[in-house]
């Protein structure tokens, strides 16, 4: 299967998964009141933060190591599993000891289901990364779709049958335990489990993981700072509003991740040979993002109020302003800036970009949220995201020795923007 076919299959898989996942909030906002749904989102927020901290970028090393050393796949996968077990076990031990402090700002005590959920969510689930490294997108399609279907069915079913939040949470824990058992079986069938340690390979994995993990944590902090601030300062109901307002953003993230995950192993091979062909593929991918996202942006921006009220009910109308600001972040993210640097193992630049973004984001978050509330959190996020793009763009130009004109296929981008702009007046009239 060639790169285009892999990209299309993976994009279809992740968009399908997102469409299925979108069913969960659409159903839950109708089955739970705003406060209870906010508590459910609070649990997911804490879980997402812990997963990001403990999983780091450990899984991602497979997409770098396996294409370069396919003969070492068994050791690479086993050592990746070992690293995840170490970080998650240590992390859960620390969380258990300090659980009273960690849960001090939470609206209810969900420490035990949170610990179980995070541990089993992280561990053994590396088959998707292995298949991506091997360009086996069809396997990813089947596995990821079944996984997300199971999660949606369990959450919605538990909500319908039990109706109380703790029962819903423990049902999700049971599902993650079953998923871990399935992953162990798949790894055994693929002959990817061994107790042998390849020290040289482990050092190469760590050289890739360390700066990228630090950058990933800072990026995550930058991205989730608004939600954390809203949750701890404004409460669970405000978090529900803010979460709904930013819910469309996974659309572009899914498309980008699908294409970049397909391109990345190929770009690693080109970078190893000092070839510029990988950069050409990356430029084309960014045009592809714009082609898909520009029309969606216009429709959602103009009909933002209708979109929010129709999908999430009148109770969430306040999320419309956040939604429109977040759409601007979606446009910025059409220009994916990390892959060329990661392919060249220049992850330190990704780290510094996120350091700068956090230094800008946190003060703005405090100042703007005090001035304009939830909208301020969204604006601070937009500004910080622009800082990341500008810095990484400058590092790509330096690393590949290209001018600004070579950073993107600008004529195609401007044509797409112009075509979208022509559609704006009729849409405004229709609104």
């Amino acid at each position: 299967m060639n790169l285009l076919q892999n990209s299309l299959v993976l994009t279809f898989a992740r968009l399908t998964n997102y469409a299925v996942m979108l069913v969960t909030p659409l159903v839950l906002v109708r089955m739970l009141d705003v406060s209870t749904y906010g508590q459910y989102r609070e649990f997911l927020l804490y879980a997402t933060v812990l997963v990001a901290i403990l999983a780091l970028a450990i899984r991602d090393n497979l997409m770098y190591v396996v294409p370069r050393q396919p003969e070492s796949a068994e050791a690479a996968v086993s050592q990746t599993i070992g690293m995840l077990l170490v970080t998650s076990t240590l992390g859960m031990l620390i969380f258990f000891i300090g659980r009273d402090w960690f849960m001090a700002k939470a609206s209810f005590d969900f420490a035990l289901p949170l610990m179980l959920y995070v541990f089993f969510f992280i561990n053994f689930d590396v088959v998707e990364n292995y298949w991506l490294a091997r360009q086996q997108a069809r396997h990813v399609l089947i596995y990821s779709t079944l996984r997300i279907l199971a999660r949606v069915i369990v959450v919605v079913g538990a909500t319908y049958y039990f109706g109380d939040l703790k029962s819903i949470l423990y049902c999700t824990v049971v599902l993650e335990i079953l998923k871990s058992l399935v992953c162990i079986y798949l790894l055994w069938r693929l002959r990817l489990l061994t107790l042998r340690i390849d020290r040289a390979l482990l050092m190469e994995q760590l050289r890739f993981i360390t700066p990228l993990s630090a950058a990933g944590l800072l990026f995550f902090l930058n991205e989730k700072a608004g939600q954390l601030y809203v949750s701890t300062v404004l409460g669970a109901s405000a978090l529900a509003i803010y979460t709904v307002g930013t819910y469309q953003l996974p659309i572009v993230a899914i498309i980008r991740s699908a294409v970049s995950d397909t391109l990345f192993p190929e770009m690693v091979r080109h970078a190893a040979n000092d070839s510029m062909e990988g950069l050409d593929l990356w430029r084309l991918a960014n045009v592809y993002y714009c082609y898909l996202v520009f029309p969606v942006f216009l429709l959602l921006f103009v009909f933002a109020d209708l979109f929010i009220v129709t999908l999430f009910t009148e109770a969430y109308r306040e999320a419309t302003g956040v939604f429109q600001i977040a759409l601007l972040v979606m446009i910025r993210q059409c220009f994916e800036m990390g892959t060329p640097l990661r392919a060249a193992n220049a992850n330190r630049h990704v780290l510094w970009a996120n350091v700068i973004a956090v230094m800008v984001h946190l003060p703005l978050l405090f100042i703007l949220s005090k001035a304009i509330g939830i909208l301020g959190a969204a604006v601070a996020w937009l500004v910080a995201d622009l800082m990341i793009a500008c810095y990484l763009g400058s590092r790509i130009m330096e690393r590949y020795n290209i001018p600004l004109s070579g950073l993107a296929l600008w004529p195609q981008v401007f044509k797409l923007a112009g075509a979208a702009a022509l559609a704006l007046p009729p849409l405004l009239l229709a609104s």
Side-chain angles (χ1 to χ4, degrees):
M1 187 182 293
N2 61 33
L3 282 175
L4 177 59
Q5 289 174 318
N6 275 326
S7 296
L8 291 175
V9 169
L10 198 55
T11 299
F12 174 77
R14 292 187 178 173
L15 285 175
T16 301
N17 291 348
Y18 176 64
V20 174
M21 185 178 65
L22 187 60
V23 171
T24 306
L26 294 181
V27 173
L28 293 187
V29 295
R30 289 163 171 80
M31 298 175 72
L32 303 171
D33 58 49
V34 174
S35 177
T36 305
Y37 179 65
Q39 289 180 323
Y40 172 72
R41 297 303 310 185
E42 185 179 28
F43 170 84
L44 291 183
L45 176 59
Y46 276 66
T48 306
V49 170
L50 285 174
V51 167
I53 293 171
L54 301 179
L56 303 170
I58 293 173
R59 292 188 187 96
D60 294 342
N61 86 86
L62 294 177
M63 296 173 61
Y64 176 76
V65 172
V66 172
R68 291 173 66 94
Q69 302 182 43
E71 72 283 357
S72 301
E74 181 185 34
V77 170
S78 296
Q79 288 172 180
T80 298
I81 293 169
M83 286 186 277
L84 288 170
L85 281 168
V86 169
T87 59
S88 60
T89 301
L90 288 175
M92 288 300 93
L93 181 60
I94 293 170
F95 182 86
F96 177 77
I97 294 170
R99 61 191 181 281
D100 292 338
W101 182 84
F102 286 114
M103 302 301 299
K105 293 289 185 177
S107 60
F108 71 108
D109 183 10
F110 49 83
L112 180 57
L114 179 67
M115 291 172 61
L116 294 170
Y117 178 86
V118 169
F119 183 83
F120 288 103
F121 186 95
I122 290 174
N123 285 299
F124 302 107
D125 195 358
V126 299
V127 288
E128 188 171 341
N129 299 81
Y130 170 75
W131 283 326
L132 287 170
R134 296 292 301 272
Q135 298 286 0
Q136 295 174 332
R138 285 175 181 164
H139 295 328
V140 175
L141 169 61
I142 296 169
Y143 172 76
S144 62
T145 301
L146 290 175
R147 182 179 58 190
I148 196 67
L149 272 172
R151 285 173 175 163
V152 170
I153 289 170
V154 166
V155 171
V156 174
T159 304
Y160 178 78
Y161 283 107
F162 298 109
D164 74 288
L165 192 55
K166 285 206 170 183
S167 296
I168 297 170
L169 300 185
Y170 279 110
C171 285
T172 62
V173 169
V174 172
L175 177 63
E176 291 306 314
I177 294 172
L178 294 175
K179 181 213 68 177
S180 296
L181 295 174
V182 170
C183 288
I184 292 171
Y185 173 75
L186 290 172
L187 292 165
W188 174 73
R189 287 294 303 269
L190 292 167
R191 300 179 185 277
L192 293 172
L193 296 176
T194 179
L195 296 177
R196 179 177 58 88
I197 296 176
D198 185 332
R199 296 186 183 276
L201 178 64
L202 180 60
M203 290 301 103
E204 184 173 359
Q205 289 177 290
L206 290 173
R207 281 193 294 271
F208 180 86
I209 289 168
T210 303
L212 194 60
S213 293
L217 285 174
L218 287 171
F219 177 80
F220 184 82
L221 172 62
N222 184 52
E223 189 176 56
K224 296 296 182 182
Q227 291 188 33
L228 289 168
Y229 185 86
V230 169
S231 173
T232 56
V233 176
L234 302 180
S237 296
L239 176 62
I241 298 293
Y242 187 83
T243 302
V244 165
T246 57
Y247 210 81
Q248 87 295 339
L249 281 170
I251 295 173
V252 66
I254 288 164
I255 295 170
R256 285 198 330 165
S257 68
V259 177
S260 63
D261 283 351
T262 305
L263 289 181
F264 184 66
E266 193 67 21
M267 292 185 69
V268 169
R269 296 187 188 97
H270 287 303
N273 298 321
D274 292 325
S275 169
M276 295 291 286
E277 291 183 35
L279 198 64
D280 294 335
L281 292 171
W282 170 75
R283 293 191 192 101
L284 285 172
N286 284 341
V287 174
Y288 171 67
Y289 305 145
C290 295
Y291 175 78
L292 291 173
V293 171
F294 283 6
V296 175
F297 166 80
L298 278 180
L299 284 170
L300 292 179
F301 193 89
V302 173
F303 296 102
D305 186 76
L306 178 64
F307 177 87
I308 292 293
V309 172
T310 302
L311 265 66
F312 297 99
T313 75
E314 180 70 29
Y316 291 89
R317 184 184 293 274
E318 188 183 347
T320 301
V322 175
F323 181 76
Q324 290 176 314
I325 294 171
L327 283 169
L328 297 174
V329 179
M330 187 171 77
I331 284 290
R332 203 296 298 159
Q333 291 183 347
C334 286
F335 301 93
E336 193 275 322
M337 295 295 183
T339 300
L341 296 169
R342 289 192 298 119
N345 203 8
N347 295 324
R348 66 186 184 281
H349 298 312
V350 182
L351 172 60
W352 281 111
N354 285 280
V355 169
I356 294 169
V358 169
M359 292 174 65
V360 171
H361 190 185
L362 295 183
L364 275 180
L365 176 61
F366 177 78
I367 295 168
L368 294 178
S369 62
K370 290 289 186 182
I372 53 177
I374 295 176
L375 286 177
V379 172
W381 178 27
L382 171 61
V383 173
D385 196 67
L386 288 170
M387 295 296 297
I388 291 176
C390 291
Y391 180 82
L392 291 181
S394 69
R395 297 307 94 190
I396 292 171
M397 290 162 58
E398 180 183 56
R399 171 63 179 78
Y400 289 90
N401 194 26
I402 58 173
L404 179 61
S405 59
L407 194 59
L409 299 176
W410 297 113
Q412 289 89 328
V413 172
F414 290 140
K415 285 178 184 177
L416 291 172
L422 290 175
L424 182 60
L427 288 175
L428 290 173
L429 290 173
S431 67

